[in-house]
Amino acid sequence: MPELMTPALAYIAAALILPLLPQGTPRRLLMLLAPVAGLLVFWGLPHGTYGSFNLMGMHVGLMRIDSLSFIFALGFTLAALMVVIYAWHVRDTIQQVALLLYAGSAIGAVLAADLIALFVFWEVTAVASVFLIWARRTEGAYAAGMRYLIVQIGSGVILLAGIVLLYLDTGSVAFRAMELDSLATWAILLAFGIKCAFPLLHNWLHDAYPAATVTGTVILSAFTTKLAIYALARGFPGADILIYVGVAMALFPIAYALAENELRRVLTYALNSQLGFMVVGIGIGTPLAINGAVAHALSSIFYQALLFMSIGAVLYRTGTSKASELGGLARQMPWTAFFCVVGGLSIAALPATTGFVSKSLVLSAAGYGGLYTVWLALLAANAAAVLHTTIRVPLAAFFAPGKSLRAGEAPPHMLLAMALAAAVTVGIGVHPDFLYALLPNTVEYEPYTFSHLVTQLQLIVFAALAFALLARTGFWPVPRSGILLDTDWLYRRLMHGVLMTLSGLVGTTWRWTALVVRRRLDVFLSGVYRAHGPQGILARTWPTGSMVLWIAILLGTTLVLTYV
């Protein structure tokens, strides 16, 4: 049916068929076929809206093809193919179905032509993705998944409230650039910000991703936050507040990434910092800045996936991804170590990697716009990325003194997926014109200028020297097991304690009030019993004269009250 035209249907159909097929090759081929079929739905279509219909007087479009939606849909499709290959060993039906539904709904969301379609796919991503966390089948994964689901569904509820208010204000549910001039648009921005892991709204990211399965973490890193970046770029380009939010996002995870022991959680903090670059670009809002945000989102899909895949392979082979329990794996897992280094060099924006050709767009946009403080803050965040990811992650897992672990090289399918991600990372870095041609705005930009190269190479070298100095003087953090407190302590511990204290006070007050009322009521009932009980004064047999006297008194009282 043309009115239901969307690539998401290819993934949904595959998810419905997959449980009916036997484990093994049939399921794997179906999972490979789904992204290819989804790509064919939108590949080559001219720009426009497809799958349109009226819903209770509202114009709904399931697929909008333009330069912004196309590049995200293409990136998500390639990521889905890559993850399917990485997860070739998985025989868990729950993970397989959740992967298809999650990837399909994310692609459906970036192609949605209106806010109604966006909301539907937005919620499907939340429900489907949580099963990638629960599939690990541990108590911690279940608890983290529940917290993740609450946050993601809450984001959807806020988005729905914003859509309703926007429709009441404007009579339209079109998904286009919005101004922050009403409660509706602020609610929509908040919903996008939760999924994008804005500061103080970010804890679900570091809580849930490391709790997921080996393959679940990889696919989560590719879709959830990048969908939010797309939504921000579509809905709020040029919103000044996003510049300052993005700078905070780029800077605040640095200390956590340097101190965290769990390497997959280290990578979530690194991911959160990289999201800050994208949010800054959206906030600046110039064509160059929007191109930078979009390009960095696309490149981040691959180099972040490469990092998560390499550490996931370590977890798969050793059973741990804690820095304090790892080290010396480079000889046993040389290709995995190599791919981890490639991902680390890309997040550092080394020339000839996709991180360089995308991140330099955002940095140049900040400099050309006269936002020199922002530019310096982003440079500092990039230098920190060299320390906490480029150096620390490969060092802790592969090159630090060994812990007598025995581990074989990653399985061939994992290596193939990592090789594909590395090829994209280096290929785009060497030939950025392919990426630039897909960007939403036509802007002439040359990343490989002398000043860009010198600035970036100096930054990386100085960061490496800083690491050497810190390590030499003993100030480089030593991996230790423990719990690293984040701002979620405020509501998971402090607020919980406050609520428990208030609950105790309310309970004590209620019991004391009930006791006082019960005593007063007992006194009152005792008085009534003394007066009206069998031996009470009002229950006695009164002489006729007394009866007449009391009637006269009551009649007189009534007359006085009536006429006075």
Side-chain angles (χ1 to χ4, degrees):
M1 298 174 64
E3 63 270 16
L4 296 179
M5 189 174 183
T6 172
L9 288 181
Y11 294 84
I12 294 171
L16 293 175
I17 296 171
L18 185 138
L20 306 177
L21 299 178
Q23 287 283 1
T25 303
R27 288 193 177 188
R28 293 165 178 166
L29 292 178
L30 178 64
M31 293 182 70
L32 277 178
L33 180 62
V36 175
L39 179 63
L40 293 176
V41 172
F42 67 89
W43 184 266
L45 287 177
H47 289 187
T49 301
Y50 302 86
S52 299
F53 58 92
N54 286 321
L55 177 66
M56 294 184 291
M58 295 179 291
H59 180 74
V60 177
L62 292 181
M63 187 168 67
R64 169 175 50 193
I65 302 295
D66 61 16
S67 54
L68 181 60
S69 63
F70 179 83
I71 190 172
F72 273 92
L74 179 61
F76 283 3
T77 301
L78 295 176
L81 275 170
M82 182 177 63
V83 174
V84 167
I85 296 172
Y86 186 77
W88 201 255
H89 65 285
V90 174
R91 299 176 65 87
D92 182 2
T93 302
I94 291 177
Q95 289 191 68
Q96 292 170 332
V97 172
L99 188 157
L100 290 170
L101 290 176
Y102 180 41
S105 57
I107 294 171
V110 298
L111 291 173
D114 63 276
L115 291 168
I116 297 297
L118 174 71
F119 167 75
V120 172
F121 289 119
W122 191 273
E123 291 298 85
V124 177
T125 61
V127 175
S129 59
V130 73
F131 287 96
L132 297 169
I133 303 169
W134 286 339
R136 198 171 183 185
R137 294 177 174 84
T138 64
E139 184 178 351
Y142 175 76
M146 286 300 299
R147 291 189 291 269
Y148 172 87
L149 185 62
I150 290 170
V151 171
Q152 297 300 317
I153 294 296
S155 169
V157 171
I158 295 171
L159 175 60
L160 179 61
I163 294 170
V164 171
L165 291 173
L166 185 67
Y167 182 73
L168 293 175
D169 289 343
T170 65
S172 172
V173 291
F175 189 18
R176 56 196 175 199
M178 295 171 277
E179 297 290 337
L180 290 172
D181 56 2
S182 67
L183 180 59
T185 53
W186 278 104
I188 293 172
L189 177 64
L190 176 60
F192 293 169
I194 292 173
K195 195 175 281 287
C196 193
F198 280 5
L200 304 182
L201 305 174
H202 68 283
N203 300 108
W204 62 267
L205 175 65
H206 316 298
D207 182 30
Y209 282 22
T213 63
V214 169
T215 56
T217 300
V218 176
I219 192 170
L220 286 168
S221 72
F223 292 118
T224 300
T225 51
K226 307 308 185 303
L227 170 57
I229 291 296
Y230 165 80
L232 289 170
R234 174 74 69 184
F236 299 98
D240 290 341
I241 190 174
L242 294 180
I243 299 175
Y244 308 105
V245 171
V247 169
M249 289 177 70
L251 294 177
F252 87 85
I254 293 173
Y256 291 100
L258 288 170
E260 177 58 53
N261 184 46
E262 219 284 349
L263 292 182
R264 292 204 298 176
R265 186 169 286 111
V266 171
L267 295 179
T268 65
Y269 284 113
L271 169 60
N272 210 165
S273 180
Q274 296 305 300
L275 292 170
F277 285 81
M278 307 169 206
V279 173
V280 167
I282 295 169
I284 295 173
T286 62
L288 179 63
I290 296 297
N291 276 3
V294 174
H296 200 49
L298 188 70
S299 66
S300 176
I301 289 175
F302 295 100
Y303 70 68
Q304 289 284 358
L306 186 55
L307 289 164
F308 277 108
M309 284 192 289
S310 60
I311 298 303
V314 170
L315 175 62
Y316 180 75
R317 285 305 195 196
T318 67
T320 183
S321 56
K322 293 183 178 180
S324 58
E325 299 172 2
L326 293 172
L329 292 176
R331 291 185 178 181
Q332 302 174 62
M333 306 179 72
W335 283 108
T336 304
F338 170 74
F339 290 131
C340 184
V341 170
V342 172
L345 292 175
S346 186
I347 201 173
L350 182 76
T353 65
T354 186
F356 173 76
V357 301
S358 62
K359 195 176 289 185
S360 60
L361 286 165
V362 179
L363 290 168
S364 295
Y368 295 159
L371 302 171
Y372 302 117
T373 303
V374 174
W375 180 77
L376 287 172
L378 295 181
L379 281 182
N382 191 68
V386 176
L387 294 174
H388 60 63
T389 304
T390 308
I391 295 176
R392 183 168 186 251
V393 172
L395 178 65
F398 300 103
F399 302 106
K403 302 295 190 297
S404 301
L405 292 173
R406 290 187 177 182
E409 181 57 276
H413 63 274
M414 288 188 174
L415 292 176
L416 176 59
M418 287 187 270
L420 292 174
V424 173
T425 297
V426 176
I428 292 178
V430 175
H431 300 288
D433 290 343
F434 174 76
L435 172 63
Y436 291 171
L438 295 174
L439 295 176
N441 301 305
T442 303
V443 176
E444 293 293 330
Y445 184 78
E446 175 53 55
Y448 288 103
T449 63
F450 180 76
S451 61
H452 290 162
L453 291 170
V454 170
T455 300
Q456 195 59 32
L457 289 174
Q458 283 182 334
L459 189 71
I460 294 173
V461 169
F462 287 149
L465 291 174
F467 160 74
L469 180 62
L470 291 172
R472 183 77 175 177
T473 56
F475 287 99
W476 183 252
V478 177
R480 291 187 178 90
S481 296
I483 298 175
L484 187 63
L485 295 180
D486 202 339
T487 54
D488 57 343
W489 179 85
L490 295 174
Y491 60 83
R492 290 177 61 182
R493 284 291 182 264
L494 179 61
M495 187 178 295
H496 179 266
V498 170
L499 290 177
M500 290 298 100
T501 302
L502 290 176
S503 176
L505 291 174
V506 170
T508 301
T509 303
W510 175 262
R511 290 190 293 271
W512 180 81
T513 303
L515 179 62
V516 171
V517 170
R518 188 180 298 113
R519 288 178 177 175
R520 296 293 177 88
L521 186 59
D522 288 343
V523 171
F524 173 74
L525 292 177
S526 297
V528 172
Y529 183 81
R530 287 195 298 271
H532 295 276
Q535 304 301 323
I537 188 171
L538 296 179
R540 297 174 184 172
T541 301
W542 291 77
T544 301
S546 298
M547 293 286 289
V548 172
L549 176 61
W550 278 108
I551 291 173
I553 291 172
L554 292 173
L555 180 60
T557 303
T558 302
L559 292 173
V560 170
L561 294 174
T562 302
Y563 294 103
V564 173

